[in-house]
Amino acid sequence: MAKRVPIPRNGLDYRGKVVLAPMVRVGELPTRLLALKYGADLVWGPEIVDRALIGAARRENRRTSTVDFVRTTVREGGPDSEKLVFHTKPAVEKRRLIYQLGTASPELAVEAASIVAADVSGIDVNAGCPKPFSVKGGMGAALLKTPDTLCAILEALVERVGNRFEIGISVKIRILETPEMTAELVRRLCGTGIIGLTVHCRTQAMRKHERVVRDQLKMVADICREHGVASVMNGDVVNRDQALELIEEYAVDSAMIAIAASHNPSCFRTEADGGLADWQAIANEYLTTALDVHNPWFNTKYTLSQMLPGKTSLHRLLMSCTNYKSLCAHEDMKGLMSAAEAVDATQMDTKKRRSEGQTSADQRPKSAEERQQNPSKRLKKSHHRTPIAA
């Protein structure tokens, strides 16, 4: 029998699955729910940087049946403002959700992961994102060049989060410039106690429009198998049928779908079961789901812009919309108008409180010392405002 790293009691075995990739902005809750509906076996959340999550409070939202992680910014002279960092719907995602973490520090990784660990089935470290915001902070693909740091992060997460919460720890990487370099890295990572390793078949310098390079994939799968670690392939996988073929061809354990799922989450459905759903049906389902979970409008707008064909009247309307109600004025969406108005009212109230808090803080009497400072910079500095990975 092949060697296998034990799967923790609350963890998941990544083998034999076709899964949703971690995607910034697109991979929020509504997309994950649709992917699961159409056959995704597991879903990865979007990468969220450790500092963005640290300090967030866990709240059970009875209105939406979600668990929300919210950060509160305390404002002097006005009401506090809140920002939703991450949310999950346990009734659907329980034992199917992996949280992806952006980090460059073992200590911060443990602190952040501990906040969500009880509500997910695994923590995955992003060691593959090539975007400047990530690399400049020593995160993402920058970790490929600092393997000691990456291994220290994984070992800390396994020991202090995985063991404590009984969930799996995994990592997502890219191939390196030579097979020898990739092999050395994969062996080191497999020795940290992880249960799974995803490899994106592009180097750090390659971009998504460049064709993937799968020459190293079998080697990576073989090394993972030697250590009992599940191997997951990523890069230019377009649907479930192709994913299953690639799994067999390259002897990997599973496959991950990214861009195709951002355009149409029904790509997880096989042709035998109906294949891709019509884009109008998907757009309507996505909007309905986004309203059900009170997804922030700005995120819904962005994700829908990836799903709608650019020359349609609905896409043109979307680009000019500022809230759910304005989008639901379209004839294809009018049935959602009452829900749109209710969600807009809730989100507008939140924006109003933020605005009033900022106005009150700006208008209160300032000391001579304060007048010499920039109030907006002072606010950012005092509350360590860190943007979510984008």
Side-chain angles (χ1 to χ4, degrees):
M1 180 180 293
K3 178 180 178 180
R4 290 196 175 191
V5 173
I7 304 300
R9 184 170 63 90
N10 298 321
L12 298 167
D13 191 343
Y14 294 178
R15 295 175 179 84
K17 296 177 174 64
V18 181
V19 306
L20 177 69
M23 292 181 284
V24 172
R25 292 189 287 182
V26 173
E28 295 290 352
L29 182 54
T31 302
R32 301 198 306 267
L33 295 179
L34 276 190
L36 289 169
K37 175 183 176 180
Y38 280 99
D41 298 301
L42 301 175
V43 290
W44 264 241
E47 178 202 20
I48 298 178
V49 174
D50 48 21
R51 291 183 184 274
L53 183 62
I54 293 171
R58 180 187 185 277
R59 297 180 184 174
E60 295 186 9
N61 190 329
R62 295 183 180 180
R63 181 185 298 177
T64 58
S65 299
T66 58
V67 173
D68 302 342
F69 293 87
V70 179
R71 279 191 62 174
T72 301
T73 298
V74 178
R75 299 184 185 277
E76 297 178 10
D80 300 343
S81 68
E82 296 181 345
K83 182 174 184 177
L84 178 67
V85 179
F86 179 72
H87 55 162
T88 175
K89 196 175 183 84
V92 181
E93 294 190 292
K94 187 175 178 61
R95 297 196 61 77
R96 301 165 88 181
L97 173 63
I98 309 299
Y99 183 95
Q100 195 183 61
L101 183 65
T103 186
S105 161
E107 291 303 317
L108 293 179
V110 168
E111 185 176 358
S114 298
I115 294 172
V116 296
D119 292 286
V120 300
S121 293
I123 302 292
D124 186 71
V125 173
N126 184 343
C129 179
K131 299 292 186 181
F133 80 87
S134 189
V135 174
K136 287 180 181 178
M139 301 178 292
L143 289 169
L144 299 176
K145 297 180 180 179
T146 57
D148 290 345
T149 299
L150 178 54
C151 288
I153 290 170
L154 294 173
E155 289 168 351
L157 286 171
V158 169
E159 180 180 350
R160 297 162 59 187
V161 178
N163 291 343
R164 175 186 171 192
F165 292 93
E166 298 185 89
I167 61 174
I169 305 299
S170 57
V171 65
K172 187 171 186 287
I173 66 170
R174 287 184 172 233
I175 58 172
L176 300 182
E177 286 70 17
T178 68
E180 293 76 18
M181 294 170 66
T182 302
E184 181 182 358
L185 176 65
V186 172
R187 287 192 179 94
R188 288 196 62 182
L189 298 179
C190 286
T192 61
I194 59 174
I195 66 161
L197 181 146
T198 301
V199 58
H200 185 142
C201 298
R202 291 183 175 92
T203 64
Q204 180 180 342
M206 296 174 68
R207 294 299 177 259
K208 62 183 180 182
H209 64 273
E210 298 181 68
R211 188 172 181 177
V212 294
V213 179
R214 297 193 175 115
D215 296 351
Q216 301 183 32
L217 193 50
K218 282 189 176 180
M219 175 195 70
V220 171
D222 287 343
I223 296 172
C224 287
R225 198 158 25 251
E226 290 171 10
H227 289 80
V229 172
S231 59
V232 185
M233 66 168 294
N234 175 224
D236 288 359
V237 183
V238 298
N239 57 45
R240 188 177 192 89
D241 290 322
Q242 183 209 22
L244 296 174
E245 292 174 0
L246 291 171
I247 289 171
E248 183 174 355
E249 179 180 356
Y250 290 96
V252 292
D253 292 307
S254 296
M256 181 177 276
I257 303 179
I259 295 175
S262 73
H263 297 315
N264 191 326
S266 67
C267 63
F268 289 98
R269 186 168 63 180
T270 64
E271 284 294 328
D273 290 332
L276 282 180
D278 180 79
W279 70 263
Q280 286 116 325
I282 288 295
N284 196 289
E285 278 191 278
Y286 176 84
L287 184 57
T288 301
T289 305
L291 288 167
D292 285 344
V293 299
H294 287 207
N295 197 54
W297 162 251
F298 69 87
N299 178 259
T300 295
K301 180 176 180 177
Y302 175 82
T303 307
L304 275 174
S305 74
Q306 308 302 299
M307 297 179 177
L308 301 177
K311 296 184 178 181
T312 62
S313 61
L314 186 56
H315 188 279
R316 291 194 297 270
L317 174 62
L318 175 68
M319 292 300 96
S320 65
C321 288
T322 57
N323 54 29
Y324 282 108
K325 180 180 177 180
S326 54
L327 178 61
C328 290
H330 191 277
E331 58 183 6
D332 292 339
M333 304 293 182
K334 285 184 177 178
L336 300 172
M337 181 60 78
S338 60
E341 290 175 341
V343 175
D344 280 343
T346 300
Q347 297 189 356
M348 182 59 69
D349 184 55
T350 300
K351 288 177 66 176
K352 183 179 179 181
R353 290 199 305 271
R354 287 183 184 173
S355 177
E356 288 176 347
Q358 181 65 61
T359 301
S360 298
D362 289 346
Q363 291 181 349
R364 68 178 175 80
K366 297 178 175 60
S367 67
E369 182 180 353
E370 288 177 320
R371 286 195 293 270
Q372 294 175 3
Q373 301 179 30
N374 182 314
S376 62
K377 289 184 179 179
R378 185 174 64 254
L379 179 65
K380 290 181 180 179
K381 182 177 180 181
S382 62
H383 297 299
H384 307 284
R385 292 162 63 92
T386 304
I388 295 176

